Amino acid sequence: MGKEVNGVSRSRFEMFSNSDEAVINKKLPKELLLRIFSFLDVVTLCRCAQVSRAWNVLALDGSNWQRIDLFDFQRDIEGRVVENISKRCGGFLRKLSLRGCLGVGDSALRTFSQNCRNIEVLSLNGCTKITDTTCSSLSKFCPKLKQLDLASCTSITNLSLKALSEGCPLLEQLNISWCDQVTKDGIQALVRCCPGVRSLFLKGCSQLEDEALKHIGAHCSELITLNLQACTQITDEGLITICRGCHRLQSLCVSGCANITDAILHALGQNCPRLRILEVARCSQLSDAGFTTLAKNCHELEKMDLEECVQITDATLIQLSIHCPRLQVLSLSHCELITDDGIRHLGSGPCAHDRLEVIELDNCPLITDASLEHLKGCHSLERIELYDCQQITRAGIKRLRTHLPNIKVHAYFAPVTPPPSVGGSRQRFCRCCILL
């Protein structure tokens, strides 16, 4: 091999012979061309590789293939493509997304792991062919792995988490959503050996119980993001342990966890002042009392999903308007006790003028055009959802748009039900949605 120049052997530059008459090849140093290629995406690099022999050498140089996302390029790839990429990139590759590549299996990923030992970010989301064998390969060959996405890889079990805990101690982010074979034993093995975990996505891991959460609370003091959506067996007991052990928590999703109560909101308020995102959709036991404690203590809240929290009233909106000046996104869909008065307080609160971007009010039957009047001063408002708000009218929406011309209003006005051919002439409407 010749002497290296910027990581590329001089012998590669010798591919540029005098017969290559392209002006760009004569004018630009080869090192500069290589630098330019480093900014190109996968598709463009492949096209450049077909221009000439010289460009082929530079375009396919491993240093240009440090970050690869095949999702927008080609998802029906076979395992051999991944193997070829790994051989080309070698130790250069830091980030790879194979999201949705259904044809990639354990064998290809073993070859990949052996060749790309410096990989730090890997997405295998939806690669349904892979099993615990892949995680064993990653554990053996990829000690620098920091972020791993295994969502919807339903063959993954506790063995994968145990393997990762042994070989990938730098792991910071793990997504095993819908890997429903994972239990508390796998979570325990992982968090004991990976104390730097900052993000855990456990959505749809239906076997997880409070015991798993206790292990997380005991070992993951750096935790920032936790998604437990549809983990239906968890209760207040496990989540309170999380709150007490993870004071840096900024994002929590427990939507669909119907067993939780206001005790969780009190625990968050008392222990997690940095909370920014809270998703508690379909948690019907939560009430104004819990949200009052939360709002008074968590002033950095930016996004809240309270859909189908059916007990809350305007009192919750009053507290949010007073104590949460950074609120940007708020979902109140199916919160049927909310009225115009609650929206009035929200629209006059500190978040309204510069922060509030999205508000969802689907199926809030007490909301009228007056609420739209209260929101016309929310200059940052980008979108409002009003499906099945039967007291909202087209005229009210039109008036709102005179103040907020760029706002997206999602509403549906049902057509008039045709009158029966026989009977009175009274106009009839669809019962479920007279007017959106």
Side-chain angles (χ1 to χ4, degrees):
M1 293 289 289
K3 182 179 179 182
E4 288 196 355
V5 180
N6 286 353
V8 180
S9 64
R10 180 165 293 172
S11 61
R12 297 192 175 192
F13 293 152
E14 292 171 357
M15 300 297 296
F16 289 80
S17 63
N18 291 332
S19 62
D20 200 330
E21 296 297 331
V23 174
I24 191 172
N25 293 338
K26 292 182 176 180
K27 296 293 185 180
L28 292 183
K30 308 311 176 287
E31 297 88 350
L32 183 55
L33 277 174
L34 184 64
R35 177 63 173 164
I36 292 171
F37 285 177
S38 72
F39 293 98
L40 304 181
D41 59 30
V42 172
V43 176
T44 309
L45 280 172
C46 289
R47 288 172 178 167
C48 289
Q50 300 176 56
V51 171
S52 68
R53 188 181 179 192
W55 275 33
N56 180 276
V57 171
L58 293 185
L60 298 184
D61 188 83
S63 63
N64 292 323
W65 296 70
Q66 297 183 44
R67 296 172 298 277
I68 304 174
D69 187 345
L70 296 179
F71 185 75
D72 295 324
F73 176 47
Q74 184 178 354
R75 275 170 279 176
D76 57 348
I77 66 171
E78 298 178 357
R80 61 181 177 80
V81 175
V82 176
E83 294 179 3
N84 291 338
I85 288 174
S86 73
K87 292 172 183 176
R88 176 180 302 140
C89 301
F92 286 107
L93 190 61
R94 297 293 188 276
K95 181 177 180 180
L96 173 66
S97 175
L98 298 175
R99 180 166 58 109
C101 294
L102 302 178
V104 177
D106 292 329
S107 176
L109 287 167
R110 178 176 177 81
T111 301
F112 163 81
S113 301
Q114 291 172 328
N115 290 328
C116 302
R117 303 191 181 205
N118 291 320
I119 190 73
E120 296 177 1
V121 180
L122 177 62
S123 175
L124 302 174
N125 190 318
C127 297
T128 53
K129 282 188 176 181
I130 70 169
T131 71
D132 294 328
T133 301
T134 286
C135 289
S136 296
S137 299
L138 293 172
S139 172
K140 186 175 181 180
F141 301 111
C142 303
K144 297 182 180 180
L145 191 63
K146 294 181 179 179
Q147 298 180 25
L148 178 62
D149 187 348
L150 297 169
S152 299
C153 298
T154 53
S155 296
I156 294 299
T157 73
N158 290 335
L159 293 177
S160 285
L161 301 194
K162 291 176 180 177
L164 292 171
S165 70
E166 294 168 0
C168 304
L170 302 181
L171 200 64
E172 296 178 357
Q173 178 175 307
L174 178 66
N175 187 346
I176 52 170
S177 296
W178 310 112
C179 297
D180 55 6
Q181 296 189 61
V182 172
T183 70
K184 61 180 177 60
D185 294 334
I187 297 297
Q188 180 181 16
L190 178 77
V191 299
R192 281 187 170 179
C193 297
C194 300
V197 169
R198 296 162 62 88
S199 300
L200 276 174
F201 298 89
L202 309 175
K203 180 178 179 180
C205 293
S206 55
Q207 293 198 56
L208 295 186
E209 301 172 331
D210 289 334
E211 198 65 29
L213 304 193
K214 291 178 181 178
H215 293 307
I216 295 173
H219 297 283
C220 298
S221 60
E222 302 294 317
L223 193 67
I224 292 177
T225 301
L226 179 62
N227 190 319
L228 295 166
Q229 181 176 338
C231 295
T232 54
Q233 297 192 59
I234 66 173
T235 71
D236 293 343
E237 184 181 359
L239 282 170
I240 289 173
T241 305
I242 295 286
C243 296
R244 291 175 176 171
C246 307
H247 298 291
R248 299 187 179 186
L249 194 66
Q250 294 182 18
S251 177
L252 175 65
C253 177
V254 287
S255 294
C257 300
N259 295 322
I260 67 173
T261 72
D262 283 343
I264 297 308
L265 301 181
H266 292 305
L268 285 168
Q270 293 164 4
N271 297 281
C272 304
R274 301 181 186 180
L275 192 67
R276 294 172 46 247
I277 299 172
L278 178 64
E279 299 178 35
V280 288
R282 302 180 302 284
C283 297
S284 58
Q285 297 189 60
L286 304 182
S287 72
D288 292 332
F291 285 111
T292 295
T293 300
L294 182 78
K296 287 182 176 179
N297 293 278
C298 297
H299 306 303
E300 297 183 18
L301 280 166
E302 297 176 0
K303 177 183 177 182
M304 297 185 72
D305 185 353
L306 311 184
E307 182 175 350
E308 291 189 40
C309 291
V310 294
Q311 293 191 47
I312 66 171
T313 70
D314 293 338
T316 289
L317 298 193
I318 292 172
Q319 295 302 320
L320 292 176
S321 68
I322 295 171
H323 300 291
C324 301
R326 300 186 181 184
L327 200 59
Q328 298 176 15
V329 179
L330 179 62
S331 176
L332 298 167
S333 297
H334 295 273
C335 296
E336 298 185 357
L337 302 179
I338 298 297
T339 74
D340 294 334
D341 191 55
I343 302 301
R344 177 176 65 83
H345 282 89
L346 189 68
S348 61
C351 71
H353 299 289
D354 302 316
R355 295 279 186 167
L356 193 63
E357 298 176 358
V358 176
I359 183 166
E360 298 177 356
L361 297 168
D362 299 337
N363 292 95
C364 293
L366 302 181
I367 295 297
T368 74
D369 286 348
S371 285
L372 304 187
E373 291 294 317
H374 299 320
L375 294 172
K376 65 185 182 182
C378 301
H379 303 298
S380 296
L381 199 59
E382 299 175 357
R383 176 169 60 87
I384 183 169
E385 303 282 340
L386 296 166
Y387 290 107
D388 292 320
C389 294
Q390 299 180 15
Q391 299 192 66
I392 296 292
T393 68
R394 287 187 175 89
I397 293 174
K398 185 176 180 180
R399 287 193 295 271
L400 178 65
R401 283 197 168 119
T402 62
H403 296 277
L404 304 172
N406 296 320
I407 191 172
K408 294 181 180 178
V409 180
H410 294 166
Y412 174 71
F413 293 87
V416 175
T417 302
S421 57
V422 179
S425 60
R426 180 183 175 187
Q427 192 178 45
R428 300 184 64 187
F429 297 87
C430 172
R431 180 182 178 189
C432 63
C433 43
I434 299 173
L435 285 175
L436 167 97

